[in-house]
């Protein structure tokens, strides 16, 4: 195995560095040594070394493998999995840069892109790398409604005069970008009058009567998947939050779901009937 510098040393970070610190260090070094900015001898080699280090340390599983086995885990000649390491998916031939196909879905060949770390270079290089290393891809926007984003949907759209079927996965959010073979599409998701989204969690407001808040009882609330009965404990104050685990939105690349939070709003009527007013006056006398 050829001698290689420690990946942490390459990026100038400690082993205890957070993912954000690793990413920040990578960006600074990548900008400094990118061949389109730095024409000095050795800059391109340095840039490749930085990319290789970041590809390992930015991936939790690869980082764990590297911390345990070092460079040998990714060397084809080491006998530890043909260059893929214990977790697979990485070979010596990919060491020069990012492997975007690692985001590829199993069904239609599309990629869900959660942020391109090379986008920062567009500020300096006018939209791409020289020499064809990275070319600007056609980028379109697709409008879908809230529930289509939650449950997933298949749309037929016209792109450059050609009809294309676009499969939007369940859990897509406003700004989610899906990478297809020849173009990218970003989602524009409309708001919902009742459900408010925060990441994969959902918040709703549910009004309850004063008597329900005071005495407790049971109500029925609308969730993303249907109606659900909810128990209200006696003495519930207004704006209390009740958490419904797993009733939120499906994560894009896992089976887990977020939660739903029901905010209980005690509804105080502006006008009272004679009977209501009498009952409240009696309550006040008791208090």
């Amino acid at each position: 195995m050829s001698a290689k510098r420690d990946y942490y040393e390459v990026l100038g970070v400690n082993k205890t560095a957070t993912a954000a610190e690793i990413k920040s260090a990578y960006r600074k070094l990548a900008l400094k040594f990118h061949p389109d900015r730095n024409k000095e001898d050795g800059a391109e080699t340095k840039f490749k070394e930085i990319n290789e280090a970041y590809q390992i340390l930015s991936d939790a599983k690869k980082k764990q493998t590297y911390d345990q086995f070092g460079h040998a885990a990714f060397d084809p000649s080491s006998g530890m999995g043909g260059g893929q390491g214990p977790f697979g998916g990485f070979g010596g031939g990919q060491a020069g840069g990012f492997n975007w196909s690692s985001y590829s879905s199993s069904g239609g060949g599309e990629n869900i892109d959660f942020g391109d770390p090379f986008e920062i270079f567009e500020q300096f290089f006018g939209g791409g790398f020289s020499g064809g290393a990275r070319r600007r891809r056609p980028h379109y926007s697709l409008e879908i409604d809230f529930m289509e984003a939650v449950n997933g949907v298949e749309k037929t759209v016209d792109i450059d005069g050609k009809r294309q079927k676009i499969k939007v996965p369940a859990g897509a959010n406003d700004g989610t970008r899906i990478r297809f073979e020849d173009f990218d599409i970003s989602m524009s998701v409309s708001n919902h009058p009742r459900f408010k989204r925060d990441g994969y969690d959902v918040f709703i407001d549910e009004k309850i009567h004063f008597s329900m808040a005071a005495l407790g009882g049971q109500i029925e609330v609308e969730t993303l998947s249907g109606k659900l009965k909810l128990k209200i404990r006696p003495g519930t104050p207004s704006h209390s939050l009740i958490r419904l685990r797993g009733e939120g939105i499906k994560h894009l690349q896992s089976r887990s779901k977020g939660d739903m939070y029901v905010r209980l709003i005690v509804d105080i009527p502006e006008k009272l009937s004679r009977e209501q007013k009498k009952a409240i006056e009696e309550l006040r006398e008791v208090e």
Side-chain angles (χ1 to χ4, degrees):
M1 186 196 316
S2 59
K4 288 187 177 182
R5 292 174 61 199
D6 180 80
Y7 286 146
Y8 292 99
E9 180 184 345
V10 170
L11 296 183
V13 296
N14 297 322
K15 284 191 174 183
T16 57
T18 65
E21 290 171 338
I22 291 173
K23 185 174 184 179
S24 177
Y26 162 74
R27 285 190 169 187
K28 291 178 182 178
L29 291 171
L31 284 174
K32 179 179 179 181
F33 291 100
H34 189 274
D36 283 354
R37 293 191 76 200
N38 193 326
K39 302 300 182 182
E40 295 180 3
D41 292 340
E44 184 175 355
T45 300
K46 181 73 174 178
F47 181 71
K48 291 180 179 180
E49 183 184 41
I50 294 165
N51 276 343
E52 180 179 340
Y54 182 70
Q55 188 179 35
I56 298 300
L57 299 185
S58 63
D59 184 294
K61 289 185 178 180
K62 292 175 185 176
K63 181 177 182 296
Q64 182 182 6
T65 305
Y66 176 74
D67 289 344
Q68 185 175 1
F69 299 104
H71 293 294
F74 307 100
D75 190 333
S77 63
S78 66
M80 297 184 63
Q84 294 189 3
F87 296 99
F90 180 80
Q94 298 173 346
F98 284 85
N99 176 17
W100 296 113
S101 62
S102 63
Y103 293 105
S104 178
S105 65
S106 59
E110 66 267 27
N111 298 328
I112 301 172
D113 188 358
F114 294 98
D116 185 345
F118 286 132
E119 283 183 352
I120 190 172
F121 295 129
E122 295 182 2
Q123 302 172 21
F124 302 98
F125 312 127
F129 295 125
S130 64
R134 180 177 184 259
R135 299 174 181 174
R136 181 179 290 277
R137 294 164 54 84
H139 190 192
Y140 305 94
S141 179
L142 177 64
E143 294 185 6
I144 58 177
D145 66 34
F146 184 90
M147 294 306 298
E148 287 177 334
V150 169
N151 298 318
V153 67
E154 186 173 281
K155 294 280 190 179
T156 300
V157 298
D158 289 328
I159 296 179
D160 294 335
K162 297 181 180 180
R163 297 184 69 82
Q164 304 271 4
K165 285 188 176 181
I166 306 300
K167 185 177 181 182
V168 180
N173 201 355
D174 192 59
T176 295
R177 187 171 67 187
I178 303 177
R179 174 162 290 192
F180 292 83
E181 183 177 356
D182 300 318
F183 55 86
D184 294 350
I185 289 186
S186 292
M187 299 299 109
S188 177
V189 182
S190 62
N191 294 325
H192 194 277
R194 178 166 172 78
F195 301 117
K196 308 301 178 185
R197 180 172 181 170
D198 182 10
Y200 294 106
D201 294 333
V202 177
F203 292 78
I204 62 171
D205 288 343
E206 188 72 27
K207 289 185 177 182
I208 60 174
H209 294 298
F210 172 78
S211 58
M212 176 69 72
L215 302 176
Q218 186 172 273
I219 63 173
E220 197 172 61
V221 297
E222 191 74 31
T223 70
L224 297 175
S225 56
K227 293 184 178 180
L228 187 68
K229 291 182 179 180
L230 188 64
K231 186 177 180 180
I232 307 298
R233 61 178 177 81
T236 296
S238 186
H239 291 74
S240 295
L241 274 180
I242 298 180
R243 180 184 184 185
L244 303 178
R245 293 182 180 273
E247 292 294 333
I249 298 172
K250 179 184 177 298
H251 286 235
L252 274 172
Q253 293 189 322
S254 73
R255 295 182 179 179
S256 61
K257 288 186 176 182
D259 301 324
M260 173 173 281
Y261 293 86
V262 181
R263 184 170 62 174
L264 300 175
I265 309 296
V266 177
D267 189 16
I268 306 296
E270 295 181 4
K271 294 183 179 181
L272 299 174
S273 66
R274 182 178 300 178
E275 292 78 9
Q276 289 174 326
K277 187 174 182 180
K278 182 180 179 180
I280 293 177
E281 287 175 347
E282 291 177 352
L283 175 62
R284 181 168 61 183
E285 290 177 2
V286 172
E287 292 176 339

PDB file of all heavy atoms in Angstrom, residues 76 113 131:
ATOM      1  N   PRO A  76      -7.724  -1.799  -2.335  1.00  0.00           N
ATOM      2  CA  PRO A  76      -8.059  -3.082  -2.978  1.00  0.00           C
ATOM      3  C   PRO A  76      -7.050  -4.179  -2.710  1.00  0.00           C
ATOM      4  O   PRO A  76      -7.388  -5.357  -2.752  1.00  0.00           O
ATOM      5  CB  PRO A  76      -8.106  -2.725  -4.466  1.00  0.00           C
ATOM      6  CG  PRO A  76      -8.311  -1.242  -4.510  1.00  0.00           C
ATOM      7  CD  PRO A  76      -7.623  -0.698  -3.304  1.00  0.00           C
ATOM      8  N   ASP A 113     -31.083  14.792  -4.249  1.00  0.00           N
ATOM      9  CA  ASP A 113     -29.889  15.550  -3.945  1.00  0.00           C
ATOM     10  C   ASP A 113     -30.162  16.447  -2.753  1.00  0.00           C
ATOM     11  O   ASP A 113     -30.996  17.335  -2.817  1.00  0.00           O
ATOM     12  CB  ASP A 113     -29.497  16.394  -5.168  1.00  0.00           C
ATOM     13  CG  ASP A 113     -28.145  17.047  -4.965  1.00  0.00           C
ATOM     14  OD1 ASP A 113     -27.542  16.886  -3.898  1.00  0.00           O
ATOM     15  OD2 ASP A 113     -27.719  17.745  -5.892  1.00  0.00           O
ATOM     16  N   GLY A 131     -12.841  22.049 -17.905  1.00  0.00           N
ATOM     17  CA  GLY A 131     -12.426  20.739 -18.393  1.00  0.00           C
ATOM     18  C   GLY A 131     -13.522  19.703 -18.332  1.00  0.00           C
ATOM     19  O   GLY A 131     -13.269  18.523 -18.447  1.00  0.00           O
TER      20      GLY A 131
END
